[in-house]
Structure formats: structure tokens, C-alpha cells
């Protein structure tokens, strides 16, 4: 019965792809305007990266056409039907654009045959990858199945992929199946947000005005990665029980996809995003989340609580050997991490090596540099060799650092 159901789903997807490409064929007859499209299914609203790109573009040229389309794909049948109509909307704007920027897998970008003049830039929604993803995790418990990935042409049609460092490029090449010539070394715009002047930041002033208790004690931020089909309430309770609240505050920031409803006493309003919390925290505890890379540029103590690392390696796979590269701040027990926080003496030299390897050496002006590149793509077109002046040509030797 399952095999019959799988065949029906496969056939339906194939028919849908054909129909979409037929419709898109006629859309492509429309002229390509001087337009930039941004696509995301990570959220239903404008994210920091897209907002920074938008503001920088408008600062330079208010006449540039932009269309930003952000919508999550949900499991509810009614919402899935709405998403089909949303895909048609995306198709129209991509067909009439010169540049498309996306921060994750996009159905219309991957399954459609585009104009040769279209430049697609995958900036991804994370500053690196401790855990494996995309083609790296095919047929893993937490990854995609090989058959469905092939049918949906996962991560196809990227002209360029943004990577924060040479080492990270190695992971992206595998995950997206791209070549060296597709890679641009540049940090995400969100790094400009993270590195904003703390003293004059109205967002942080608002936070400490609303949450006055965080002024008086050191704050520990616990920010675990999303675990598919895995319950981790007991683990969070172990973190809470290990902390001496006479000395420390605790903030728990769960992944947006995490449905855990407990621990409200330790959560913060959504108007303060993950990057605000990184700036507020004195100590950061995570596991396999790429937020560790972003936190590293703040030079704050980062700890890796990897209680399930053996199981996680099997279910997903890891790109980074945390026990080797961050040996002095990685543990399977939360008690050891809290003891380390209390004793002080954090190994910042090890953190510096980690930061330089995965985030490079230049963490500033990421938005400006990225928009410089976007304008080159917009003005010259993908075939112009001058565009590639901005690309760091990654060699095989450098990737194996």
C-alpha cells in the first residue's frame, strides 16, 4: 500500500513540475525588468538579511524595483493549497527579474528552467553548518530521502552561493553540489546587525528597560538546535536545574520550529530576535546550531552541550568535530559546562582559531560588499567576466583546511 501511495505522490509531483514549467514558459516571454526578487520560506515576514539588503539598495538607488516574498510552507492541507498560488506569484516575479536572492531551498528556483540572464544568489539562512544538510544528509534520519530530493531537484539552479569562509565552502560545495566558481566569500548582512554599537543601540536599551532583572546578574543564553521528531524537555530542565540563579539569569531561545510550550519563565518576547539575545548574553550555550559561528564574532564564551552527539551523528551527521576544535568548551554534561562558567578561565585562544577558520578575518561591511556584487550582476549580467572579480576562487588545497 505504501509503495502505491509513493508512486502516486511521485507521479503527481512530476505532472505538477511539467505544468509549472509550461506556465513559466509563457511567463518568461515577459521582459526582464531591472528588478531584484528575494525569496524565503524561513518565515512569513521580512528577515534581517533581506531587510539590510533592501535598505542598502534603496540607499543607493531608489528606482530599483524590488519584490520580497516570504512565506513558510506548512503541513496543513488548506495552507499547502494557498502555497501553490504563492508559487505562481513567485514564478511571475522571477520570470521578470534579473537577480533573485534566496536564503533556502525554493521550489520555483530549483524545478523551473530559467532565462539564461537570471542570476540566482543563495545566501542561505545560517552562517555556516556544524551539522550536515542538503545533499550531505541524504537518506539520514533527519535528512531528505534521495528519491524526493531528485524529483524536487533540490538546490539546483544557483548561480552563486555565499559562504563566510574557505573552510565553510567545503561544506557548501557538498550540500548544494556547486563548484568553486559558484562560491562568493562574504559574511551575511546579519553580522552587521550583530556588531552594531552596543552603547547607542535603541533595541538593547528597550530590552533592559523592559527586563530590568538582566541588568544585575550575568546572563546565560541557552540556544539549542532544532531536533526533528525529538523531545528534549528533560534536557532543558537539566540546564535549568544546573544553574545557580542567585548568580545568573537564564534565557532559553528555542528554534522557531520547536513546538515546546514549557519554560515560558525563561523566554523573551519575539520582538527581541536571536541576534539581540546574543548581544545581551554574557555566556552562550548551544550544541550544533550555526548560531555558534555568529556568536563567535562577539568574542564571548561559547559552550557546546552535546549530550546526544553519538545519536545526532547517526541521525544527521556533523561537519565540525567539536571535541577536537572546541575541546575546552564542549561537554556531554551540563554540570561540567556550568562549573566551567563559574570557575572562569575560558579558552579564548581556541575560540579565536574557531572563529577565524569558519568566519574568516573580515566581519564588517558585509551588506555593502554583498550589494556591490548584486549591482554588478544587475548591471552586467551573468556572462560578464568582470562579475567574477568579486569571487574568491577557492582551491582544492584551501578547502581541505
Amino acid at each position: 500500500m505504501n509503495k502505491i501511495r509513493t508512486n502516486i505522490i511521485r507521479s503527481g509531483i512530476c505532472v505538477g513540475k511539467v505544468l509549472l514549467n509550461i506556465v513559466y514558459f509563457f511567463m518568461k516571454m515577459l521582459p526582464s525588468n531591472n528588478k531584484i526578487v528575494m525569496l524565503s520560506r524561513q518565515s512569513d515576514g521580512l528577515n534581517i538579511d533581506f531587510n539590510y539588503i533592501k535598505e542598502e539598495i534603496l540607499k543607493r538607488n531608489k528606482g530599483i524595483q524590488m519584490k520580497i516574498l516570504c512565506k513558510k510552507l506548512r503541513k496543513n492541507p488548506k495552507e499547502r493549497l494557498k502555497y501553490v498560488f504563492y508559487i505562481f506569484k513567485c514564478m511571475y516575479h522571477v520570470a521578470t527579474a534579473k537577480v533573485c536572492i534566496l536564503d533556502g531551498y525554493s521550489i520555483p528556483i530549483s524545478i523551473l528552467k530559467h532565462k539564461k540572464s537570471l542570476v540566482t544568489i543563495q545566501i542561505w539562512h545560517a552562517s555556516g553548518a556544524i551539522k550536515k544538510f542538503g545533499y550531505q544528509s541524504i537518506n539520514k534520519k533527519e535528512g531528505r530521502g534521495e528519491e524526493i530530493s531528485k524529483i524536487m531537484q533540490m538546490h539546483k539552479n544557483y548561480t552563486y552561493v555565499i559562504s563566510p569562509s574557505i573552510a565553510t565552502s567545503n561544506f557548501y560545495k557538498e550540500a548544494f553540489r556547486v563548484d568553486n566558481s559558484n562560491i562568493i566569500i562574504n559574511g551575511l548582512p546579519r553580522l552587521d546587525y550583530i556588531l552594531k554599537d552596543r552603547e547607542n543601540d535603541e533595541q538593547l536599551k528597550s530590552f533592559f528597560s523592559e527586563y530590568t532583572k538582566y541588568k544585575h546578574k550575568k546572563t546565560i543564553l541557552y540556544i539549542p538546535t532544532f531536533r526533528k521528531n525529538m523531545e528534549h524537555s528533560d534536557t532543558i530542565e537539566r540546564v535549568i536545574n544546573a544553574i545557580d540563579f542567585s548568580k545568573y539569569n537564564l534565557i532559553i531561545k528555542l528554534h522557531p520550529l520547536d513546538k515546546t510550550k514549557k519554560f515560558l519563565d525563561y523566554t523573551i518576547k519575539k520582538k527581541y530576535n536571536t541576534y539581540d539575545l546574543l548581544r545581551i548574553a554574557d555566556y552562550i550555550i548551544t550544541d550544533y546550531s550555526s548560531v555558534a559561528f555568529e556568536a563567535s564574532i562577539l568574542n564571548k564564551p561559547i559552550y557546546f552541550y552535546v549530550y546526544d552527539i553519538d545519536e545526532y551523528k547517526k541521525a544527521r551527521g556533523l561537519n565540525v568535530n567539536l571535541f577536537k576544535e572546541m575541546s575546552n568548551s564542549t561537554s556531554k554534561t551540563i554540570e561540567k559546562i556550568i562549573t566551567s562558567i563559574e570557575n572562569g578561565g575560558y579558552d579564548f585562544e581556541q575560540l579565536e582559531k574557531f572563529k577565524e577558520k569558519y568566519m574568516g578575518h573580515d566581519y564588517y561591511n558585509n551588506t555593502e560588499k554583498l550589494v556591490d556584487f548584486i549591482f554588478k550582476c544587475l548591471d552586467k549580467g551573468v556572462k560578464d567576466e568582470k562579475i567574477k572579480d568579486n569571487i574568491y576562487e577557492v582551491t582544492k588545497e584551501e578547502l581541505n583546511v
Side-chain angles (χ1 to χ4, degrees):
M1 191 67 181
N2 286 337
K3 190 173 182 180
I4 294 172
R5 183 172 178 272
T6 301
N7 288 334
I8 292 172
I9 292 172
R10 186 194 301 118
S11 299
I13 292 173
C14 291
V15 170
K17 282 171 57 180
V18 171
L19 292 175
L20 288 177
N21 271 287
I22 291 171
V23 173
Y24 192 59
F25 175 81
F26 292 101
M27 288 182 175
K28 287 189 294 183
M29 292 181 179
L30 297 168
S32 292
N33 301 315
N34 209 30
K35 180 166 74 174
I36 297 167
V37 175
M38 300 185 220
L39 302 178
S40 177
R41 63 174 192 170
Q42 302 304 312
S43 67
D44 292 320
L46 187 64
N47 58 52
I48 286 178
D49 293 317
F50 283 4
N51 188 50
Y52 264 51
I53 292 169
K54 180 195 78 171
E55 293 298 324
E56 181 65 23
I57 289 172
L58 291 177
K59 187 168 73 175
R60 301 186 191 192
N61 187 340
K62 295 186 184 299
I64 291 288
Q65 295 183 54
M66 274 188 288
K67 187 66 180 180
I68 303 174
L69 298 163
C70 303
K71 188 175 179 63
K72 284 185 176 181
L73 175 58
R74 292 179 168 82
K75 293 182 179 180
N76 182 294
K78 184 179 179 181
E79 291 299 318
R80 284 183 178 261
L81 181 60
K82 287 182 181 179
Y83 202 85
V84 172
F85 291 100
Y86 168 75
I87 287 175
F88 282 106
K89 185 177 181 180
C90 293
M91 288 165 56
Y92 165 75
H93 287 290
V94 172
T96 55
K98 287 187 178 178
V99 176
C100 178
I101 303 163
L102 56 157
D103 67 351
Y105 170 75
S106 170
I107 292 172
I109 292 300
S110 289
I111 70 169
L112 298 174
K113 184 175 176 61
H114 301 286
K115 293 177 181 177
K116 290 183 179 180
S117 59
L118 179 70
V119 178
T120 57
I121 304 173
Q122 173 62 264
I123 68 172
W124 200 234
H125 55 269
S127 293
I130 291 179
K131 57 192 176 187
K132 291 183 181 292
F133 72 103
Y135 286 104
Q136 290 184 311
S137 58
I138 288 289
N139 292 332
K140 293 273 189 179
K141 183 179 177 181
E142 285 213 352
R144 301 293 182 189
E146 186 171 7
E147 186 174 12
I148 193 67
S149 298
K150 187 176 181 180
I151 294 172
M152 294 303 293
Q153 296 172 253
M154 187 170 72
H155 298 308
K156 295 293 184 183
N157 296 326
Y158 301 154
T159 313
Y160 300 112
V161 173
I162 297 290
S163 173
S165 72
I166 295 168
T168 303
S169 298
N170 199 20
F171 312 145
Y172 284 8
K173 281 182 65 181
E174 295 174 357
F176 298 126
R177 290 186 177 172
V178 295
D179 297 322
N180 293 342
S181 60
N182 301 110
I183 294 171
I184 307 166
I185 301 296
N186 199 81
L188 291 176
R190 70 184 66 172
L191 301 187
D192 297 336
Y193 183 92
I194 293 171
L195 291 170
K196 282 196 302 183
D197 177 15
R198 181 184 171 92
E199 295 301 319
N200 300 308
D201 189 344
E202 293 301 321
Q203 184 78 340
L204 295 194
K205 288 179 182 178
S206 172
F207 175 86
F208 287 112
S209 175
E210 188 170 358
Y211 294 95
T212 54
K213 72 174 185 177
Y214 291 97
K215 292 180 180 179
H216 309 299
K217 289 183 286 188
K218 297 288 187 180
T219 297
I220 298 170
L221 172 63
Y222 179 47
I223 184 163
T225 194
F226 177 64
R227 287 162 169 79
K228 189 177 179 181
N229 301 320
M230 295 173 69
E231 172 62 40
H232 60 165
S233 293
D234 291 346
T235 304
I236 297 173
E237 287 178 357
R238 281 199 294 274
V239 173
I240 294 170
N241 293 333
I243 292 173
D244 182 349
F245 287 97
S246 67
K247 300 178 182 177
Y248 304 100
N249 293 308
L250 173 66
I251 297 175
I252 298 172
K253 178 63 175 177
L254 299 177
H255 192 279
L257 295 177
D258 197 310
K259 303 301 180 185
T260 305
K261 299 297 183 184
K262 299 180 183 180
F263 317 115
L264 294 179
D265 290 342
Y266 305 100
T267 58
I268 301 296
K269 291 179 181 178
K270 289 184 178 179
K271 69 178 180 178
Y272 302 108
N273 61 45
T274 299
Y275 315 110
D276 294 326
L277 301 183
L278 289 178
R279 301 171 74 214
I280 288 159
D282 298 287
Y283 307 94
I284 297 153
I285 302 175
T286 184
D287 39 38
Y288 321 111
S289 173
S290 63
V291 76
F293 299 122
E294 292 153 352
S296 71
I297 67 172
L298 290 169
N299 298 316
K300 295 181 179 183
I302 304 169
Y303 294 88
F304 298 88
Y305 176 32
V306 291
Y307 61 93
D308 61 346
I309 190 166
D310 297 323
E311 295 85 354
Y312 203 86
K313 281 180 182 178
K314 294 176 184 176
R316 184 71 174 254
L318 297 175
N319 286 313
V320 180
N321 185 337
L322 292 170
F323 276 106
K324 179 181 178 182
E325 298 190 44
M326 295 295 288
S327 58
N328 294 326
S329 54
T330 301
S331 177
K332 290 185 178 182
T333 66
I334 189 61
E335 290 78 14
K336 184 176 178 180
I337 289 173
I338 299 302
T339 298
S340 178
I341 290 173
E342 293 187 337
N343 292 341
Y346 186 81
D347 191 342
F348 283 100
E349 185 177 338
Q350 199 170 64
L351 177 64
E352 186 68 20
K353 290 178 181 177
F354 178 84
K355 177 179 69 174
E356 289 189 1
K357 180 175 181 178
Y358 295 110
M359 296 299 288
H361 301 274
D362 184 5
Y363 319 117
Y364 295 90
N365 304 317
N366 299 286
T367 310
E368 288 183 18
K369 289 181 287 187
L370 180 56
V371 172
D372 283 344
F373 184 76
I374 291 168
F375 271 92
K376 284 186 178 182
C377 293
L378 196 64
D379 293 341
K380 302 292 185 181
V382 69
K383 292 181 180 179
D384 194 308
E385 289 300 316
K386 291 182 180 179
I387 289 179
K388 295 187 178 180
D389 291 347
N390 225 37
I391 301 171
Y392 188 104
E393 292 292 348
V394 185
T395 67
K396 187 178 290 186
E397 290 75 21
E398 288 172 317
L399 284 172
N400 291 325
V401 294

